[in-house]
Amino acid sequence: MPQRRWAIMALLELTGVTKRFGGLTAVDNVNLVLNEGEILGLIGPNGAGKTTLFAIIAGYLKPNEGKIVFNGVDITGKETHKIARMGMNRTFQVVKPFSDMNVVENVMVGAMMRNASVKRAREKAMDALEFCGLAHRADYLGRELTVANKKRLEVARALASDPKVLLLDEVMAGLNPSEVRDAVEFIHRIHARGVTLLVIEHVMEVIMPISHRVAVLNYGKKIVDSDPKQAVSDPEVISAYFGSTDEGRGDASC
Amino acid sequence: MDKKTIQVKSLFRPAIIVPAAVVLVLCLLPQFIKGYPLHTLTLIILYAALGSAWNWLGGFAGQASLAHAVFFGLGAYINSMLQVHFEVNPWVAMLVAMAGVGIISILVGLPVFRLSGPYFSIATIAIGEVVKIIFINWKATGGAVGMYLPIRESSLLNFQFNDKAPYYYIILAFYFVAVSITYWLKNSRSGYYFRAIKEDPQAAKALGINIVQSKLLAMVLSGMMCAMVGSFYVNFTLYIDPDNVFRFMTSVQIALIAVLGGVGSVWGPLIGSVIILLLSEGSRAYLGGIGAGLDFVIYGLMIMLIAIFQPNGIIGAVENYRKKKRLKKRQMQEATDAAKEVGDHGAA
Ligand SMILES: Nc1ncnc2c1ncn2[C@@H]1O[C@H](COP(=O)(O)OP(=O)(O)OP(=O)(O)O)[C@@H](O)[C@H]1O
Ligand SMILES: [Mg+2]
């Protein structure tokens, strides 16, 4: 068992969350708890419903059923910007930089959530860029970055708004093994700032070293919720997750 | 001494020199220009102010309205109704008109901002036509015939002058208000939020931006500025009718002026206004009756050309050359950095 270094308190709690797109149940009666100070990995094959679950939590999609409580407040169906201001931010699997703004300006928009002053926001943005290793790209336009750097930009932008909880959607996709090592260290540094993390990662090798706990989704259902070692050796996970990677159920990750 | 030279140098940056020169020239022009050319110049500044107002909503926040003539016309009508029916001072009437149009723009914005992109633009066209029909049929505003303002003694308080130059200076002052607001937007949280919404509303929401509230702010600012300019217009011409102030083509012109000059730029609308006004005055002078129709054809062509070749307008075109060179350099930099990182890790 991993030692718990934090007082256990559910910061985010999902109860019976279900989302249907026509006949497809993308998220199926999911219960999930994210404790304060935790790094929770959310994994599952392509199309398992991970991104959809993020969209529901962050207020982009209304669930058909279920309840979401954040920091003791029911946020089910609440508007996205309000949820963000309560201290929960997300990044996007399909990156969404502000293309015609430069990198600092992008991050300043995030920083402005807690700083009305443009000058203060710029300072905060530079700090966040420094932290994310993007300071040398500060005056590049959003569109001019590589995809890997766009993903870092999204993290910097979210961090600049001082979130309590950060939802990261495949920020490490497409990295080579050495870059993965950097990314793992990066996640730990974010966590060390006191940010609670819910991390979607498609690749097991990435999620294992960072997660305190892992939840596995398959066809919208949560099939496992345990410590990482147990999760990888779970027969249901092995058949559902590894068994299906070859089939390729349509890859939305880009 | 070093510090001083640096300060002096920074005062002579193009970013300060060019606007200062423009302001100076604009202030001095009436010394050299009189009569009809000054009248045209007044209209150029008037449209530059309207184009700037459009720019806040269309250029910064990305909501391309085709109903800005409505804000302008409503400002003019509220102003003249107050003067004609209630004998209100023109300046007071202007403030009331601005407040009135501000409220109207919130009422219009709430439902219309549910629509996005072209649907938003189309809805604004519909609103414009409805307003025009209302005013054509409204007895209190003189219906299709319109309204005349009473002639008063020439004075600043009365907003009436025997000479053209005071009118020019008043609209120039209004235009400088618009320019100041554009500068403020460029350097304020609201301006950043407008741009973020235009670039990617989904990402903007995730960063705590209340999209409807920001768009409404852009709309109210824009509407009130247009009402201010509309108030000027009716005091300048002393006459308005629905066909004159609620023309759909006026809305198109306002949008075109901003887009042609450069969306989201401070001085772009002035450039756009010079071009559009000279074009429409020119075609009217040289081609007479047919010229009126030709305007529209030329506007259509311009919209297509801008859309295809230069979405960022003239100011954008100037910046583009530099940007292109820089982009190439940056793409190479990103590529070599990425390669180097892989190499570093391979060696480690
Ligand atoms: N807006 C939508 N309308 C209809 N179907 C959708 C919509 N969004 C997602 N889906 C479907 O819901 C299912 C879950 O998709 P989701 O993107 O959440 O999966 P994911 O676990 O994030 O996958 P990946 O690992 O590929 O990112 C998929 O079958 C997808 O096609
Ligand atoms: Mg996904």
Side-chain angles (χ1 to χ4, degrees):
Chain A
M1 287 294 286
Q3 325 111 291
R4 300 211 187 266
R5 290 169 295 147
W6 308 77
I8 299 174
M9 181 207 149
L11 197 50
L12 180 68
E13 189 165 8
L14 280 64
T15 324
V17 171
T18 298
K19 180 70 194 177
R20 285 181 283 268
F21 295 116
L24 174 84
T25 307
V27 175
D28 196 351
N29 195 21
V30 169
N31 299 313
L32 192 69
V33 171
L34 178 64
N35 295 309
E36 181 149 26
E38 196 174 28
I39 303 179
L40 173 59
L42 182 62
I43 62 173
N46 288 138
K50 306 179 294 292
T51 298
T52 306
L53 192 65
F54 265 25
I56 295 168
I57 297 171
Y60 284 84
L61 292 171
K62 281 205 175 89
N64 297 95
E65 286 149 38
K67 188 173 149 186
I68 303 155
V69 176
F70 173 52
N71 214 6
V73 181
D74 186 345
I75 58 162
T76 323
K78 216 180 176 73
E79 287 164 287
T80 301
H81 69 267
K82 286 186 186 151
I83 295 174
R85 285 184 177 273
M86 286 174 68
M88 185 153 61
N89 276 52
R90 72 174 290 197
T91 66
F92 295 90
Q93 182 176 2
V94 181
V95 285
K96 296 182 185 299
F98 303 128
S99 311
D100 275 330
M101 290 182 168
N102 68 29
V103 168
V104 204
E105 289 175 331
N106 263 272
V107 181
M108 281 167 75
V109 174
M112 281 169 175
M113 194 164 105
R114 309 250 184 252
N115 295 280
S117 141
V118 173
K119 195 164 158 272
R120 266 302 287 141
R122 188 177 291 274
E123 289 163 11
K124 278 216 85 169
M126 281 314 298
D127 288 348
L129 285 176
E130 207 76 59
F131 183 83
C132 297
L134 259 187
H136 64 307
R137 292 285 181 267
D139 64 339
Y140 278 48
L141 290 183
R143 67 161 89 253
E144 291 171 343
L145 297 180
T146 58
V147 174
N149 275 343
K150 280 178 184 164
K151 296 212 163 191
R152 279 192 215 184
L153 173 60
E154 292 225 338
V155 177
R157 208 164 58 175
L159 277 180
S161 72
D162 286 333
K164 277 195 192 69
V165 175
L166 193 52
L167 313 174
L168 299 175
D169 196 347
E170 299 208 16
V171 284
M172 291 174 275
L175 301 185
N176 65 38
S178 65
E179 286 169 329
V180 165
R181 257 180 283 134
D182 285 349
V184 166
E185 186 253 348
F186 181 44
I187 300 269
H188 281 307
R189 281 198 297 130
I190 297 174
H191 182 244
R193 282 170 70 131
V195 181
T196 301
L197 292 164
L198 178 52
V199 184
I200 292 182
E201 220 31 82
H202 193 193
V203 187
M204 285 276 201
E205 293 77 1
V206 177
I207 208 84
M208 290 311 144
I210 58 169
S211 307
H212 301 156
R213 188 159 60 90
V214 165
V216 187
L217 280 189
N218 190 31
Y219 290 113
K221 283 201 176 72
K222 188 175 87 173
I223 54 171
V224 167
D225 189 339
S226 69
D227 77 277
K229 280 199 200 87
Q230 246 170 300
V232 258
S233 52
D234 189 290
E236 210 178 346
V237 175
I238 292 168
S239 72
Y241 191 81
F242 294 107
S244 71
T245 43
D246 300 350
E247 293 165 29
R249 272 187 242 154
D251 195 351
S253 43
C254 48
Chain B
M1 211 192 95
D2 261 345
K3 221 175 191 178
K4 228 175 203 169
T5 31
I6 290 168
Q7 272 173 356
V8 172
K9 242 188 196 157
S10 69
L11 257 180
F12 285 93
R13 275 177 306 152
I16 291 179
I17 282 280
V18 175
V22 172
V23 170
L24 195 69
V25 168
L26 288 176
C27 289
L28 292 178
L29 271 176
Q31 302 299 317
F32 312 104
I33 297 174
K34 306 262 178 270
Y36 176 71
L38 184 58
H39 178 88
T40 306
L41 193 62
T42 304
L43 290 181
I44 286 175
I45 302 300
L46 183 149
Y47 272 95
L50 291 174
S52 301
W54 188 93
N55 213 7
W56 306 334
L57 183 64
F60 282 87
Q63 308 301 305
S65 144
L66 285 173
H68 263 52
V70 172
F71 295 138
F72 169 76
L74 284 175
Y77 261 105
I78 295 174
N79 190 296
S80 50
M81 280 167 81
L82 288 171
Q83 287 193 56
V84 171
H85 296 306
F86 304 99
E87 288 173 18
V88 176
N89 173 279
W91 292 99
V92 177
M94 179 178 96
L95 295 178
V96 178
M98 287 168 68
V101 171
I103 292 165
I104 291 168
S105 46
I106 291 176
L107 297 179
V108 172
L110 277 175
V112 185
F113 281 140
R114 290 174 184 279
L115 307 167
S116 59
Y119 301 104
F120 171 80
S121 303
I122 290 167
T124 60
I125 297 176
I127 289 169
E129 292 308 300
V130 169
V131 171
K132 186 166 154 184
I133 290 168
I134 291 173
F135 274 83
I136 287 175
N137 293 295
W138 195 2
K139 289 265 154 30
T141 61
V145 180
M147 294 176 96
Y148 287 89
L149 286 191
I151 309 282
R152 295 200 190 88
E153 205 183 313
S154 171
S155 82
L156 184 61
L157 191 67
N158 285 340
F159 214 132
Q160 286 189 19
F161 309 95
N162 298 326
D163 190 17
K164 288 258 183 213
Y167 289 109
Y168 172 81
Y169 282 114
I170 289 175
I171 194 63
L172 191 62
F174 288 8
Y175 172 59
F176 287 154
V177 170
V179 167
S180 310
I181 292 175
T182 313
Y183 264 120
W184 168 74
L185 274 182
K186 278 209 130 158
N187 300 297
S188 73
R189 172 154 82 169
S190 297
Y192 277 86
Y193 277 10
F194 290 179
R195 285 164 65 201
I197 288 169
K198 176 189 173 182
E199 300 251 337
D200 197 313
Q202 300 304 322
K205 274 202 259 180
L207 300 172
I209 299 178
N210 184 340
I211 294 192
V212 173
Q213 190 185 310
S214 284
K215 284 180 182 174
L216 281 178
L217 175 62
M219 181 97 143
V220 168
L221 277 178
S222 195
M224 287 176 73
M225 187 72 223
C226 290
M228 188 170 169
V229 176
S231 290
F232 166 84
Y233 181 78
V234 70
N235 286 292
F236 178 54
T237 59
L238 297 176
Y239 166 74
I240 44 166
D241 68 49
D243 252 353
N244 184 359
V245 291
F246 292 126
R247 278 172 68 218
F248 172 60
M249 276 329 284
T250 308
S251 292
V252 173
Q253 273 180 323
I254 294 170
L256 196 54
I257 280 166
V259 174
L260 184 65
V263 276
S265 74
V266 176
W267 296 99
L270 183 61
I271 300 174
S273 182
V274 169
I275 294 171
I276 294 290
L277 266 274
L278 290 185
L279 204 72
S280 76
E281 294 291 308
S283 63
R284 199 176 305 157
Y286 289 107
L287 300 167
I290 15 165
L294 198 63
D295 278 9
F296 303 164
V297 177
I298 294 173
Y299 294 160
L301 276 174
M302 279 176 135
I303 290 169
M304 285 196 290
L305 289 177
I306 295 169
I308 295 168
F309 295 110
Q310 196 43 262
N312 291 322
I314 289 171
I315 296 260
V318 176
E319 284 173 359
N320 229 23
Y321 173 73
R322 268 185 303 164
K323 252 188 206 163
K324 250 191 201 144
K325 259 169 72 181
R326 200 186 65 196
L327 179 59
K328 224 179 229 157
K329 210 172 104 197
R330 285 178 175 184
Q331 277 166 342
M332 272 168 60
Q333 184 69 47
E334 283 275 274
T336 47
D337 277 17
K340 217 191 316 175
E341 265 170 42
V342 173
D344 285 354
H345 286 296

Short mmCIF file of all heavy atoms in Angstrom, two decimals, chain A residues 28-65:
data_model
loop_
_atom_site.label_atom_id
_atom_site.label_comp_id
_atom_site.label_asym_id
_atom_site.label_seq_id
_atom_site.Cartn_x
_atom_site.Cartn_y
_atom_site.Cartn_z
N ASP A 28 -20.45 5.63 -17.75
CA ASP A 28 -21.52 4.76 -17.27
C ASP A 28 -21.46 4.62 -15.75
O ASP A 28 -20.65 3.87 -15.23
CB ASP A 28 -21.38 3.40 -17.97
CG ASP A 28 -22.64 2.56 -17.85
OD1 ASP A 28 -23.54 2.97 -17.09
OD2 ASP A 28 -22.72 1.52 -18.52
N ASN A 29 -22.30 5.37 -15.06
CA ASN A 29 -22.47 5.21 -13.61
C ASN A 29 -21.14 5.20 -12.85
O ASN A 29 -20.85 4.27 -12.10
CB ASN A 29 -23.27 3.92 -13.36
CG ASN A 29 -23.80 3.86 -11.93
OD1 ASN A 29 -23.93 4.89 -11.28
ND2 ASN A 29 -24.06 2.66 -11.45
N VAL A 30 -20.35 6.23 -13.05
CA VAL A 30 -19.02 6.27 -12.44
C VAL A 30 -19.04 6.92 -11.06
O VAL A 30 -19.58 8.01 -10.89
CB VAL A 30 -18.03 7.02 -13.36
CG1 VAL A 30 -16.72 7.30 -12.62
CG2 VAL A 30 -17.75 6.21 -14.62
N ASN A 31 -18.47 6.23 -10.09
CA ASN A 31 -18.21 6.81 -8.77
C ASN A 31 -16.71 7.01 -8.65
O ASN A 31 -15.95 6.11 -8.99
CB ASN A 31 -18.66 5.86 -7.65
CG ASN A 31 -20.15 5.58 -7.72
OD1 ASN A 31 -20.95 6.51 -7.86
ND2 ASN A 31 -20.52 4.32 -7.67
N LEU A 32 -16.32 8.19 -8.21
CA LEU A 32 -14.89 8.44 -8.14
C LEU A 32 -14.62 9.48 -7.06
O LEU A 32 -15.35 10.45 -6.93
CB LEU A 32 -14.39 8.96 -9.50
CG LEU A 32 -12.89 9.02 -9.72
CD1 LEU A 32 -12.29 7.62 -9.80
CD2 LEU A 32 -12.58 9.77 -11.02
N VAL A 33 -13.56 9.23 -6.29
CA VAL A 33 -13.18 10.19 -5.26
C VAL A 33 -11.75 10.65 -5.50
O VAL A 33 -10.88 9.83 -5.80
CB VAL A 33 -13.29 9.55 -3.86
CG1 VAL A 33 -12.69 10.47 -2.80
CG2 VAL A 33 -14.73 9.21 -3.52
N LEU A 34 -11.54 11.96 -5.44
CA LEU A 34 -10.19 12.49 -5.53
C LEU A 34 -9.89 13.18 -4.20
O LEU A 34 -10.57 14.12 -3.82
CB LEU A 34 -10.10 13.50 -6.69
CG LEU A 34 -8.77 14.21 -6.91
CD1 LEU A 34 -7.69 13.22 -7.31
CD2 LEU A 34 -8.91 15.29 -7.98
N ASN A 35 -8.90 12.64 -3.51
CA ASN A 35 -8.58 13.20 -2.20
C ASN A 35 -7.62 14.37 -2.30
O ASN A 35 -6.82 14.45 -3.24
CB ASN A 35 -7.96 12.13 -1.31
CG ASN A 35 -8.95 11.02 -1.00
OD1 ASN A 35 -10.08 11.29 -0.57
ND2 ASN A 35 -8.56 9.79 -1.28
N GLU A 36 -7.67 15.24 -1.34
CA GLU A 36 -6.80 16.39 -1.34
C GLU A 36 -5.34 15.94 -1.30
O GLU A 36 -4.96 15.07 -0.52
CB GLU A 36 -7.11 17.28 -0.13
CG GLU A 36 -6.24 18.51 -0.10
CD GLU A 36 -6.93 19.70 0.53
OE1 GLU A 36 -7.82 19.49 1.37
OE2 GLU A 36 -6.57 20.84 0.17
N GLY A 37 -4.51 16.51 -2.17
CA GLY A 37 -3.09 16.20 -2.18
C GLY A 37 -2.72 14.93 -2.92
O GLY A 37 -1.56 14.52 -2.93
N GLU A 38 -3.69 14.37 -3.59
CA GLU A 38 -3.46 13.08 -4.25
C GLU A 38 -3.06 13.28 -5.72
O GLU A 38 -3.37 14.29 -6.33
CB GLU A 38 -4.77 12.30 -4.19
CG GLU A 38 -4.64 10.83 -4.48
CD GLU A 38 -5.98 10.10 -4.25
OE1 GLU A 38 -7.04 10.75 -4.40
OE2 GLU A 38 -5.93 8.93 -3.93
N ILE A 39 -2.37 12.28 -6.27
CA ILE A 39 -2.26 12.18 -7.72
C ILE A 39 -3.01 10.93 -8.13
O ILE A 39 -2.61 9.81 -7.81
CB ILE A 39 -0.79 12.06 -8.21
CG1 ILE A 39 0.06 13.24 -7.72
CG2 ILE A 39 -0.75 11.97 -9.73
CD1 ILE A 39 1.51 13.16 -8.16
N LEU A 40 -4.13 11.13 -8.80
CA LEU A 40 -4.96 10.01 -9.22
C LEU A 40 -4.82 9.83 -10.73
O LEU A 40 -5.03 10.77 -11.48
CB LEU A 40 -6.41 10.26 -8.84
CG LEU A 40 -7.47 9.27 -9.34
CD1 LEU A 40 -7.19 7.86 -8.85
CD2 LEU A 40 -8.87 9.70 -8.89
N GLY A 41 -4.42 8.63 -11.13
CA GLY A 41 -4.30 8.34 -12.55
C GLY A 41 -5.62 7.81 -13.07
O GLY A 41 -6.30 7.03 -12.41
N LEU A 42 -6.00 8.29 -14.26
CA LEU A 42 -7.23 7.79 -14.89
C LEU A 42 -6.81 7.22 -16.23
O LEU A 42 -6.34 7.95 -17.11
CB LEU A 42 -8.22 8.94 -15.07
CG LEU A 42 -9.59 8.59 -15.66
CD1 LEU A 42 -10.34 7.62 -14.79
CD2 LEU A 42 -10.40 9.87 -15.88
N ILE A 43 -6.94 5.89 -16.35
CA ILE A 43 -6.48 5.28 -17.60
C ILE A 43 -7.60 4.47 -18.24
O ILE A 43 -8.67 4.29 -17.65
CB ILE A 43 -5.25 4.38 -17.37
CG1 ILE A 43 -5.58 3.23 -16.42
CG2 ILE A 43 -4.08 5.20 -16.83
CD1 ILE A 43 -4.46 2.22 -16.30
N GLY A 44 -7.30 4.01 -19.43
CA GLY A 44 -8.28 3.21 -20.16
C GLY A 44 -7.99 3.31 -21.64
O GLY A 44 -7.36 4.26 -22.08
N PRO A 45 -8.47 2.32 -22.40
CA PRO A 45 -8.21 2.32 -23.84
C PRO A 45 -8.88 3.49 -24.56
O PRO A 45 -9.69 4.20 -23.97
CB PRO A 45 -8.79 0.98 -24.32
CG PRO A 45 -9.69 0.52 -23.23
CD PRO A 45 -9.21 1.13 -21.96
N ASN A 46 -8.56 3.67 -25.82
CA ASN A 46 -9.18 4.72 -26.63
C ASN A 46 -10.69 4.60 -26.58
O ASN A 46 -11.23 3.51 -26.69
CB ASN A 46 -8.76 4.62 -28.10
CG ASN A 46 -7.32 5.02 -28.31
OD1 ASN A 46 -6.60 4.38 -29.06
ND2 ASN A 46 -6.89 6.08 -27.66
N GLY A 47 -11.33 5.75 -26.39
CA GLY A 47 -12.78 5.76 -26.40
C GLY A 47 -13.41 5.26 -25.12
O GLY A 47 -14.63 5.03 -25.07
N ALA A 48 -12.62 5.13 -24.07
CA ALA A 48 -13.15 4.60 -22.81
C ALA A 48 -14.04 5.62 -22.10
O ALA A 48 -14.83 5.26 -21.23
CB ALA A 48 -12.01 4.17 -21.90
N GLY A 49 -13.89 6.89 -22.43
CA GLY A 49 -14.74 7.91 -21.80
C GLY A 49 -13.98 8.84 -20.87
O GLY A 49 -14.58 9.61 -20.14
N LYS A 50 -12.66 8.78 -20.92
CA LYS A 50 -11.85 9.58 -20.00
C LYS A 50 -12.03 11.08 -20.26
O LYS A 50 -12.33 11.85 -19.33
CB LYS A 50 -10.35 9.22 -20.16
CG LYS A 50 -10.06 7.74 -20.02
CD LYS A 50 -8.59 7.42 -20.20
CE LYS A 50 -8.03 7.67 -21.59
NZ LYS A 50 -8.54 6.76 -22.63
N THR A 51 -11.86 11.49 -21.50
CA THR A 51 -11.99 12.91 -21.83
C THR A 51 -13.42 13.39 -21.56
O THR A 51 -13.63 14.51 -21.07
CB THR A 51 -11.61 13.14 -23.31
OG1 THR A 51 -10.24 12.78 -23.48
CG2 THR A 51 -11.79 14.59 -23.70
N THR A 52 -14.38 12.53 -21.87
CA THR A 52 -15.79 12.89 -21.60
C THR A 52 -15.99 13.14 -20.11
O THR A 52 -16.67 14.09 -19.71
CB THR A 52 -16.72 11.77 -22.10
OG1 THR A 52 -16.43 11.51 -23.47
CG2 THR A 52 -18.17 12.17 -21.95
N LEU A 53 -15.38 12.30 -19.29
CA LEU A 53 -15.51 12.47 -17.84
C LEU A 53 -14.92 13.82 -17.40
O LEU A 53 -15.50 14.53 -16.59
CB LEU A 53 -14.81 11.32 -17.11
CG LEU A 53 -15.11 11.21 -15.62
CD1 LEU A 53 -16.58 10.89 -15.39
CD2 LEU A 53 -14.25 10.14 -14.95
N PHE A 54 -13.78 14.20 -17.98
CA PHE A 54 -13.18 15.50 -17.69
C PHE A 54 -14.12 16.64 -18.07
O PHE A 54 -14.30 17.60 -17.33
CB PHE A 54 -11.87 15.67 -18.48
CG PHE A 54 -10.65 15.30 -17.71
CD1 PHE A 54 -10.72 14.40 -16.66
CD2 PHE A 54 -9.41 15.85 -18.02
CE1 PHE A 54 -9.58 14.05 -15.94
CE2 PHE A 54 -8.27 15.51 -17.32
CZ PHE A 54 -8.36 14.61 -16.28
N ALA A 55 -14.70 16.49 -19.26
CA ALA A 55 -15.60 17.53 -19.75
C ALA A 55 -16.79 17.70 -18.80
O ALA A 55 -17.26 18.81 -18.57
CB ALA A 55 -16.08 17.19 -21.16
N ILE A 56 -17.24 16.59 -18.24
CA ILE A 56 -18.38 16.66 -17.30
C ILE A 56 -17.94 17.35 -16.00
O ILE A 56 -18.61 18.26 -15.52
CB ILE A 56 -18.92 15.26 -16.99
CG1 ILE A 56 -19.52 14.63 -18.24
CG2 ILE A 56 -19.96 15.32 -15.89
CD1 ILE A 56 -19.82 13.15 -18.11
N ILE A 57 -16.79 16.93 -15.50
CA ILE A 57 -16.31 17.50 -14.23
C ILE A 57 -16.12 19.01 -14.37
O ILE A 57 -16.49 19.79 -13.51
CB ILE A 57 -14.98 16.85 -13.79
CG1 ILE A 57 -15.18 15.35 -13.51
CG2 ILE A 57 -14.44 17.54 -12.55
CD1 ILE A 57 -13.88 14.60 -13.28
N ALA A 58 -15.54 19.44 -15.51
CA ALA A 58 -15.20 20.86 -15.70
C ALA A 58 -16.38 21.69 -16.17
O ALA A 58 -16.24 22.88 -16.43
CB ALA A 58 -14.04 20.99 -16.67
N GLY A 59 -17.55 21.07 -16.32
CA GLY A 59 -18.74 21.83 -16.66
C GLY A 59 -18.97 22.07 -18.14
O GLY A 59 -19.79 22.90 -18.52
N TYR A 60 -18.25 21.34 -19.00
CA TYR A 60 -18.48 21.49 -20.45
C TYR A 60 -19.68 20.68 -20.90
O TYR A 60 -20.35 21.02 -21.87
CB TYR A 60 -17.24 21.07 -21.24
CG TYR A 60 -16.15 22.09 -21.18
CD1 TYR A 60 -15.26 22.14 -20.12
CD2 TYR A 60 -16.02 23.05 -22.19
CE1 TYR A 60 -14.28 23.09 -20.05
CE2 TYR A 60 -15.03 24.00 -22.13
CZ TYR A 60 -14.17 24.03 -21.06
OH TYR A 60 -13.20 24.98 -21.00
N LEU A 61 -19.90 19.55 -20.22
CA LEU A 61 -21.03 18.70 -20.57
C LEU A 61 -21.85 18.48 -19.31
O LEU A 61 -21.30 18.36 -18.21
CB LEU A 61 -20.54 17.34 -21.07
CG LEU A 61 -19.80 17.28 -22.40
CD1 LEU A 61 -19.21 15.89 -22.60
CD2 LEU A 61 -20.72 17.64 -23.56
N LYS A 62 -23.17 18.44 -19.48
CA LYS A 62 -24.03 18.11 -18.33
C LYS A 62 -24.22 16.60 -18.30
O LYS A 62 -24.53 16.00 -19.33
CB LYS A 62 -25.40 18.79 -18.50
CG LYS A 62 -25.39 20.25 -18.15
CD LYS A 62 -26.80 20.73 -17.73
CE LYS A 62 -26.74 22.15 -17.24
NZ LYS A 62 -26.92 23.15 -18.33
N PRO A 63 -24.03 15.98 -17.14
CA PRO A 63 -24.26 14.53 -17.09
C PRO A 63 -25.76 14.24 -17.17
O PRO A 63 -26.57 15.07 -16.76
CB PRO A 63 -23.70 14.14 -15.72
CG PRO A 63 -23.80 15.37 -14.90
CD PRO A 63 -23.63 16.53 -15.84
N ASN A 64 -26.11 13.07 -17.74
CA ASN A 64 -27.52 12.69 -17.75
C ASN A 64 -27.98 12.32 -16.34
O ASN A 64 -29.11 12.57 -15.96
CB ASN A 64 -27.75 11.51 -18.69
CG ASN A 64 -27.43 11.87 -20.12
OD1 ASN A 64 -26.32 11.63 -20.60
ND2 ASN A 64 -28.38 12.50 -20.79
N GLU A 65 -27.06 11.67 -15.62
CA GLU A 65 -27.36 11.33 -14.23
C GLU A 65 -26.12 11.54 -13.40
O GLU A 65 -25.02 11.59 -13.92
CB GLU A 65 -27.77 9.84 -14.12
CG GLU A 65 -29.15 9.52 -14.64
CD GLU A 65 -29.22 8.11 -15.21
OE1 GLU A 65 -28.59 7.21 -14.63
OE2 GLU A 65 -29.87 7.94 -16.26
#
